[in-house]
Amino acid sequence: MSFDERARTWDDDPIKTERAAAFAKTITEQVHPKPEMSALEFGAGTGLLSYQLKEAFSTIVLVDSSEGMIDVLKEKIAKEHLSHFFPLNVDLLETSPDIGPFDAIYTLMTMHHIDSLPDILQVFHRLLKPGGKLCIGDLVKEDGSFHGSGFTGHKGFDKDKLSGLLEEHGMNPVHYEIFYELERKRDGHSQKFPLFSLIAEKAG
């Protein structure tokens, strides 16, 4: 089932809101948002994470390559009159919209779907202000059980390897923690998957 097809029921799962709230707490504690700061959410989906941060930034651009997700997000924004939310249906690896630079970029459970990490990190570096923070929330390296067979993305991330990649692209890791634990049940078995937050700062 594609993200477009899942968009209408995406917000029905309370776990998605719960994990977004947990990551938002980490972002707030590490970025220390101020009223004049701007942010970009990459892989925004229906905006669950940015909704947790709607009071934290003066401007939030929400980017997603799924038209279905952005359509749902637009409806939510219109309903709640969030004039500082700007949804964009675009693939940042293929298009360079006239946006930024941003004080913060945050992304939750999206990076493991991105084939070329160096390419997207180059985009993030370009879109961040000097001293700006990149906040990644994603799966700790796992054995592939999270998505199951047929998934072609990354099976989570190793802290040291991802940190090294960030450093190669001009962003210095400043914080790492496990902020949430997801539980998946499959074939009668339950397995827990920790989620990490890795915060990196663009060199000034």
Side-chain angles (χ1 to χ4, degrees):
M1 215 172 170
S2 72
F3 283 109
D4 283 341
E5 293 170 320
R6 296 163 66 189
R8 286 288 157 195
T9 57
W10 189 259
D11 291 4
D12 294 349
D13 180 2
I15 296 299
K16 291 186 174 71
T17 298
E18 190 176 276
R19 74 186 183 193
F23 188 39
K25 182 175 182 291
T26 298
I27 292 171
T28 301
E29 290 172 349
Q30 299 302 318
V31 174
H32 306 294
K34 297 180 177 62
E36 69 275 10
M37 291 171 68
S38 62
L40 168 74
E41 181 175 6
F42 175 69
T46 62
L48 289 176
L49 176 54
S50 285
Y51 266 75
Q52 299 289 331
L53 296 162
K54 64 182 179 181
E55 308 294 337
F57 298 97
S58 63
T59 301
I60 302 178
V61 177
L62 301 96
V63 170
D64 203 288
S65 60
S66 164
E67 186 177 2
M69 290 286 187
I70 291 295
D71 284 345
V72 171
L73 173 58
K74 285 179 177 177
E75 292 171 11
K76 291 167 65 175
I77 290 171
K79 184 178 179 181
E80 298 192 32
H81 308 290
L82 296 175
S83 59
H84 67 306
F85 273 31
F86 299 92
L88 272 182
N89 179 207
V90 67
D91 185 341
L92 290 181
L93 289 169
E94 296 181 359
T95 308
S96 299
D98 185 18
I99 56 174
F102 298 96
D103 296 286
I105 295 175
Y106 47 81
T107 179
L108 175 60
M109 296 297 283
T110 299
M111 294 292 279
H112 67 267
H113 291 280
I114 304 300
D115 290 335
S116 177
L117 294 181
D119 286 347
I120 195 60
L121 291 180
Q122 284 181 359
V123 172
F124 292 159
H125 185 272
R126 175 173 55 82
L127 290 175
L128 272 176
K129 294 178 182 179
K133 299 280 181 62
L134 172 63
C135 311
I136 299 172
D138 218 304
L139 289 160
V140 173
K141 191 167 184 61
E142 46 96 21
D143 61 6
S145 301
F146 186 80
H147 283 286
S149 61
F151 180 66
T152 57
H154 303 276
K155 298 173 183 177
F157 297 100
D158 174 80
K159 173 190 174 183
D160 293 335
K161 288 183 179 178
L162 184 55
S163 295
L165 198 56
L166 286 163
E167 289 172 348
E168 289 173 16
H169 289 83
M171 292 172 283
N172 302 314
V174 294
H175 178 81
Y176 182 93
E177 69 174 277
I178 303 301
F179 72 91
Y180 195 74
E181 195 170 59
L182 285 172
E183 188 171 354
R184 285 251 168 128
K185 294 180 180 178
R186 188 177 283 128
D187 302 325
H189 299 285
S190 179
Q191 187 172 350
K192 293 182 178 179
F193 298 91
L195 304 185
F196 69 87
S197 63
L198 179 54
I199 315 294
E201 182 177 309
K202 179 178 175 176

